[in-house]
Amino acid sequence: MTIKENDFRKIDLNLLVAFAVLYREQSVSLAADKLHLGQPAVSGSLARLREMFDDPLFIRSGHRMQPTARADALHCELMPLLEQLQSTLFHPSDFNPATARATITLGMADWVETWLMPVLFPLVRQQAPGFQLNVIASDSFTDQSNLEGGEMDMVVNMAEGGPRWLESTPLLAIPFVALWHPQQVPLKGPLTQDDYLAWPHFAVSNREAVSSQVDTRLAKQGLARQISYTTAHFAALPGLLCSQPGIATVPAALAPLWQAHWGLSASPVPVDIPPAQLALSWHQRHNSDPALMWLRDLMSHHLAKYSLKQAA
């Protein structure tokens, strides 16, 4: 149904409340007491109600004001609406993920999705079966505009500053590891810096960027690694490592999965680089969205347990 704005121009919600109390009390003085208003104010409201509905609404009979047939009909129709409005405005229903339905679009890099969602999504399905999660590619150049425009609801990305409307909560600090296939690179860990620099590297690029913080730290020492291949997708790296001599530097969260499935070897990176600081970000307008805030808490709780497990 399309709302016709002009139909509501003369409507004042306070008048409808006054009508409900007048109907119940059948007295201007008693209604004024219940509404904490003076009798003239309530009499004025009654006059406006009579004009609005083109009906006397209440007829004095002895000490009481008896409702007209029109008032009876209005009361029957309006009371459920007023009660529902009161509940919506002042007593919002408790959020229950087990029965809630929601469609949420998340932005993630492919490595975050590969690592996080096989564990997080079953938790969502178990606790909130009515949720549908859509994951789209995260891009640091467009994440904020996509959040602002509504193309995504939340994004898991590298922690960084942003506009005032951007809400963010830290999730996890993930160190980096070096990975290689022992049949292609005959080394045993932990790698030395000489080992690390002696072999070609497969790197994940951020758009046209061909260097990273690894290269920046090496350059400060007057050193450089040989990058023979760049890709926008972490998922391409295991196959490359199995088919070609080379080393890939990736977030450590990927290492157990790739080692188990691809037989890769792993070592701490012999370059002093800070860990990847993951954060969950969203637009401030979603702070009152119970589905998104529930998912935020679930994700934070899961990753807090993961962090404790890794530290043990």
Side-chain angles (χ1 to χ4, degrees), residues 175-246:
F176 290 89
V177 298
L179 293 176
W180 67 96
H181 197 286
Q183 292 184 356
Q184 297 293 340
V185 177
L187 294 175
K188 293 183 178 181
L191 297 180
T192 66
Q193 191 172 88
D194 288 341
D195 292 332
Y196 186 73
L197 297 179
W199 293 87
H201 285 256
F202 308 143
V204 175
S205 65
N206 192 352
R207 292 198 175 185
E208 293 81 13
V210 293
S211 63
S212 67
Q213 57 183 344
V214 174
D215 304 290
T216 301
R217 296 297 177 101
L218 287 172
K220 291 181 178 179
Q221 304 175 50
L223 302 172
R225 59 177 179 163
Q226 176 196 346
I227 298 177
S228 62
Y229 187 95
T230 62
T231 176
H233 310 289
F234 280 89
L237 296 178
L240 289 168
L241 292 172
C242 289
S243 64
Q244 296 292 319

Side-chain angles (χ1 to χ4, degrees), residues 75-85:
H75 184 265
C76 183
E77 294 289 338
L78 287 175
M79 283 309 296
L81 298 177
L82 290 174
E83 290 171 356
Q84 182 179 359
L85 182 61

Side-chain angles (χ1 to χ4, degrees), residues 3-63:
I3 292 177
K4 297 179 180 179
E5 294 82 356
N6 288 337
D7 289 348
F8 291 89
R9 292 181 62 185
K10 295 182 180 180
I11 301 296
D12 182 341
L13 180 59
N14 291 320
L15 289 179
L16 300 183
V17 174
F19 169 79
V21 178
L22 280 165
Y23 188 94
R24 184 183 69 213
E25 302 298 334
Q26 297 185 10
S27 165
V28 171
S29 59
L30 291 177
D33 182 62
K34 297 296 184 180
L35 292 168
H36 304 288
L37 295 172
Q39 289 190 36
V42 176
S43 295
S45 295
L46 178 56
R48 292 176 61 191
L49 284 164
R50 285 168 167 166
E51 180 184 359
M52 185 183 349
F53 293 113
D54 192 23
D55 189 270
L57 298 178
F58 300 97
I59 306 296
R60 181 169 296 280
S61 177
H63 296 292

Side-chain angles (χ1 to χ4, degrees), residues 107 138 140 143 147 155-160 168 277-281:
S138 169
S140 61
D143 283 345
L147 287 174
V155 60
V156 180
N157 56 9
M158 304 293 283
E160 57 184 22
S168 185
Q277 299 284 344
L278 281 186
L280 180 67
S281 302

